[in-house]
Amino acid sequence: MKTKLAFVCGTVMTLLALTACGAPNNVSQEGGGKPKVKDPDPVTLKLFAYNPMSESDFKKLIAEPVKKKYPYITVELLSKNSTQFESTIAAKEDMDLILMWNGSVNSNKQYGIFEDMTPHARKAGFDFGRFDPKAMETIKELSDKGEIYGVPYQIQFYALYYNKDLFDKFGVPYPKDGMTWEDTVELTRKMSRMQDGVQYSGFDTDTLSRFTYPLSLVPVDGKTDKVLVNSDAYKKAFELGKQLYSIPDNPGKLSTGRFTKEKTLAMVGTVNLFDQLEKTPDLNWDMVQFPSYKEKPNTYGMYDLNIVMMTSTSKHKDEAMKAIEVFLSDEVQTLSSTMGKLSALTNPEIRKQFGIGLPMLKGKNLQGIFKSSPAYAPPFSMHHSKGNEILKKTFLDYIGDKKDVNTALRDAEEEITRYIKSQGTK
C-alpha cells in the first residue's frame, strides 16, 4: 500500500514539474511563479482628418489618451486636407481612422473606404446606446442597409451672438432666449442704422443654410439625386432672408466679419464661433438661443455631426476600435466638453462641464445653446455642395431685387439639374 501511494505522489510531482516547464510561449514566470502576459507588438494607426482637427486637439483628445491606456498603440495625424483624400486612397497609403462630417459621407462612398463598425463594436462591447439616438439614426441613413460607418464625437450647435455694446449704445434691450424669426426681424430693424458716418447692421449670418437647415432642406435628394429646391419650404426660407436683408442699413453679406472684426454688426446667427471670439477679447458679447420658425419651436440647424470612422483597408481594426473607444469615453468627452465642444453622448454630467475650460465663457448664457435641438438631417447628395453654391447665387439675386422668388428657385432648379446631368447620375 505504501509503495502504491509513493508511486502516485511521485507521478503527481512529475506532472507538476512538466507543467511548469511547459508554460506557454506568451507568458514568462515571475517570482512566486505568477505568469506575466507578453506585451503586444507596437501598432501605429494613421488618422485622416477629412474634417479638420487642430494638432493641439488631436494630441489632447486622441493621441495622448490612447497612448495612456494602450502604451503599444500610437495614433498619428496625417498632415493632409480633404482635397487629398482621393489621392491618398488611390496611392493605397495606410489609413486606419477618418474624421469626417456626416454631410461628406455620400460624396466619398464611391471609394469603398468605409467600414460597418457594428461587428467590431459588438466584439469590443462598445455601446451605441450612449449616444444621442437621433444622431445615430442620422448616421444609419447614410448607408444603404443601416450600416454604422462611424460614431459622432461632436454635434454642431447654433446660437445667436450679440454685441452688448451696440445694444447699450442704441438703448435697445438685449436679445433673449426663445425668439422667433419674426422677433429677430423686428430687433434687426431697431438695430440697423447709419450713425456718425458708420453703417450699423442688425443681423447677418454666414450662409444660406442657417435659414434652410432648420426646415431640414437639402438641394438634392441624397438617395435619388432629385433636385428639391423649387418648393414652398425653400420659398419660406428665401422670403425670411428677404425680410431681414430688405431692412435699410442691413445688407446681406453672408459673413461674420462685421461682428468679430469691424464690430458694426449687432447680431450674428451661426454655429460655434468660440475660436474667433477667443481672438477678439475686446468684444463685449453674449449669446442666446438660435431663432426658431414659429411652426418649429426650439429647433435649429439639422444634425451636423463630426464622426470618427474606421477604414475598410485598415490592417489593425481591433486597435482602431480601441482608439475609438478611448476617444468616445466619458473621460475624454468630458475634457472635450470643457473645451466648448458639444458631445454626442447623452451623459448629463458631460454637458454640465461644457465650456468651463474657456475663461472667456465665464458668465455667458451657455444654457441658451441647449434650449434647442437639431432638426432632422436627410442624407446629403454628392452634389450637395454644388447645389448650395448655385442656391446661394440665386438667393443673392433675389434679395438684390434681380429676380422674384419663384424665378430664383426655378432658375436654381434648372441649373442644378443641368449640373447633375453633366456629371452623370447614380
Side-chain angles (χ1 to χ4, degrees), residues 65-268:
V66 170
K67 177 63 72 174
K68 180 179 178 181
K69 183 165 184 179
Y70 299 107
Y72 66 97
I73 300 178
T74 300
V75 186
E76 290 184 0
L77 180 64
L78 295 175
S79 300
K80 299 176 183 291
N81 58 52
S82 60
T83 62
Q84 298 168 290
F85 191 61
E86 181 179 1
S87 60
T88 302
I89 294 171
K92 296 184 178 180
E93 294 184 41
D94 288 342
M95 189 194 309
D96 303 282
L97 298 164
I98 304 169
L99 304 183
M100 185 173 281
W101 172 50
N102 61 297
S104 297
V105 172
N106 262 353
S107 59
N108 289 291
K109 282 167 68 174
Q110 59 186 308
Y111 304 121
I113 195 72
F114 303 139
E115 173 96 353
D116 181 11
M117 280 182 56
T118 306
H120 305 287
R122 189 180 296 119
K123 178 181 177 182
F126 186 80
D127 183 9
F128 291 125
R130 298 167 56 236
F131 297 86
D132 180 322
K134 292 183 178 179
M136 292 306 302
E137 284 303 315
T138 298
I139 291 171
K140 287 180 182 179
E141 286 200 23
L142 297 174
S143 65
D144 296 325
K145 298 178 182 178
E147 297 98 332
I148 298 175
Y149 290 145
V151 282
Y153 62 89
Q154 189 177 326
I155 299 178
Q156 186 61 274
F157 67 80
Y158 282 46
L160 182 68
Y161 305 85
Y162 65 96
N163 184 323
K164 297 174 74 172
D165 287 343
L166 292 186
F167 279 87
D168 292 342
K169 180 182 181 72
F170 300 138
V172 177
Y174 296 151
K176 57 186 180 182
D177 292 337
M179 293 199 309
T180 63
W181 279 115
E182 287 78 7
D183 297 328
T184 307
V185 169
E186 289 307 307
L187 200 51
T188 299
R189 203 180 308 278
K190 293 176 182 178
M191 292 300 296
S192 301
R193 64 188 74 190
M194 182 73 72
Q195 185 164 311
D196 301 325
V198 178
Q199 184 184 65
Y200 295 98
S201 297
F203 174 89
D204 204 358
T205 186
D206 55 338
T207 172
L208 174 63
S209 300
R210 308 303 171 221
F211 302 133
T212 60
Y213 280 4
L215 299 174
S216 298
L217 299 177
V218 291
V220 183
D221 186 284
K223 300 288 187 182
T224 66
D225 278 347
K226 180 182 177 182
V227 182
L228 305 173
V229 300
N230 197 0
S231 67
D232 287 341
Y234 262 108
K235 184 176 179 180
K236 183 181 186 68
F238 267 47
E239 289 177 339
L240 169 61
K242 179 77 166 181
Q243 276 186 284
L244 285 160
Y245 299 133
S246 294
I247 294 170
D249 298 310
N250 191 60
K253 302 285 189 180
L254 296 185
S255 170
T256 61
R258 289 178 296 160
F259 186 77
T260 54
K261 296 175 183 176
E262 291 91 340
K263 302 179 183 61
T264 57
L265 180 63
M267 299 179 288
V268 61

Side-chain angles (χ1 to χ4, degrees), residues 274-287:
F274 293 163
D275 285 349
Q276 293 184 41
L277 292 169
E278 197 167 23
K279 298 172 184 175
T280 54
D282 58 331
L283 179 63
N284 184 17
W285 66 278
D286 207 340
M287 62 200 301

